[in-house]
Amino acid sequence: MRLISWNVNGLRACLQKDFLPTFQALDADCFCLQETKLQAGQLELELPGYRQYWSYAEKKGYSGTAIFTRREPLSVSYGVGVPELDREGRVIVLELEKCFLVTCYTPNAQEGLKRIDHRMAWDDAFRARLQALDAVKPVVACGDLNVAHQEIDLKNPGPNRGNAGFSDQERGKFTELLAAGFTDTFRYKNPDAVGAYSWWSYRFNARKNNAGWRIDYFLVSDQIRGAVTAAPIYSEIYGSDHCPVGLELKEELL
């Protein structure tokens, strides 16, 4: 079972940068997107063989998520279940036969951590949502979680300490999430890998110099981490300021 997650930073823009050939080449069973920046009816996307599920922000041209899946879900739900947090189209949950698949676009704490209170509330609600799902069946959760967990997960940890995405508060919430019964699959398979990033600023030739951050993840319930066979980062794929990340699972072990 192959899954892909990609923050496309505007799907209409990404479509002009070889999104469809990339989609076809990656050949995923489930393909999850974040930051689609779309409203309902703004885009008709033909993906033969895939069912499409979309979540839109109330604010135009902002946030948004999608899942394209070859597998018909048993049920579909949206959000974390907190009305004030669920206006930005940030979460889709598909119930599949053996697991829940969740895609998430976590709010950015923003410059000066001006949205940190909202972010902390989000992290608590998202963790609670995953725990509730995990009590029913195993969870596979992916997306742009907007945090580099450890110093190994970004090129320049010293100057970025305390900045959005690498604040003690956000890193602490991610630690809490893992402690609640979830595994960061990339680190599980690649505990000592350095220079492995999924997002690069458009400034300062950051991608050319690989001055990046690993903020895009696949998490799985601890109970199924033995099913993880690979957790690649497709850093060679362009089209966004993020690259796709993947997960391959032995389905019989789910």
Side-chain angles (χ1 to χ4, degrees):
M1 185 178 185
R2 176 179 295 163
L3 304 101
I4 297 291
S5 176
W6 194 7
N7 178 323
V8 291
N9 192 15
L11 182 55
R12 286 173 292 183
C14 196
L15 281 163
Q16 306 303 314
K17 303 173 184 176
D18 294 328
F19 173 81
L20 288 175
T22 297
F23 178 86
Q24 292 161 358
L26 289 171
D27 191 31
D29 295 292
C30 301
F31 204 111
C32 302
L33 303 184
Q34 304 87 42
E35 206 170 1
T36 54
K37 297 183 178 179
L38 290 169
Q39 304 302 122
Q42 285 190 313
L43 180 68
E44 290 293 330
L45 193 60
E46 292 191 12
L47 301 172
Y50 288 85
R51 294 169 174 85
Q52 302 183 24
Y53 301 93
W54 300 81
S55 188
Y56 307 105
E58 293 177 4
K59 180 180 176 181
K60 291 183 178 179
Y62 180 72
S63 190
T65 49
I67 300 180
F68 310 138
T69 175
R70 288 175 170 149
R71 299 166 185 234
E72 184 173 4
L74 303 178
S75 66
V76 184
S77 57
Y78 300 88
V80 292
V82 180
E84 58 268 29
L85 298 177
D86 284 335
R87 299 189 178 107
E88 297 177 343
R90 293 185 177 275
V91 167
I92 304 173
V93 179
L94 302 190
E95 181 184 0
L96 303 177
E97 181 183 358
K98 295 183 178 181
C99 66
F100 289 101
L101 174 62
V102 181
T103 194
C104 175
Y105 177 39
T106 298
N108 192 303
Q110 299 186 353
E111 187 174 355
L113 303 183
K114 65 182 180 182
R115 211 183 187 198
I116 192 67
D117 291 343
H118 179 86
R119 170 62 183 266
M120 295 294 96
W122 173 272
D123 284 345
D124 287 341
F126 183 61
R127 183 178 67 254
R129 181 80 170 108
L130 294 191
Q131 287 180 285
L133 294 172
D134 190 42
V136 177
K137 64 174 71 172
V139 173
V140 176
C142 68
D144 175 1
L145 303 187
N146 257 318
V147 60
H149 186 212
Q150 304 289 358
E151 291 192 354
I152 195 175
D153 295 315
L154 72 167
K155 180 63 177 278
N156 297 304
N160 282 296
R161 177 77 182 270
N163 289 343
F166 199 59
S167 68
D168 291 348
Q169 300 97 307
E170 293 162 299
R171 296 170 66 196
K173 290 294 185 186
F174 193 82
T175 297
E176 288 184 50
L177 177 57
L178 298 182
F182 300 96
T183 295
D184 172 355
T185 59
F186 179 81
R187 278 290 161 234
Y188 175 65
K189 299 300 290 186
N190 308 278
D192 302 314
V194 297
Y197 309 127
S198 64
W199 172 79
W200 302 261
S201 170
Y202 281 130
R203 299 181 294 173
F204 313 123
N205 292 313
R207 192 153 189 180
K208 179 181 178 182
N209 297 321
N210 198 29
W213 300 47
R214 189 174 71 91
I215 60 175
D216 299 88
Y217 295 85
F218 267 98
L219 309 179
V220 299
S221 297
D222 287 349
Q223 60 183 302
I224 61 165
R225 65 185 174 192
V228 175
T229 59
I233 296 177
Y234 297 95
S235 57
E236 75 280 6
I237 293 178
Y238 285 68
S240 169
D241 51 349
H242 296 248
C243 72
V245 298
L247 179 67
E248 296 185 17
L249 295 168
K250 294 179 182 177
E251 197 160 359
E252 66 273 15
L253 297 182
L254 282 177

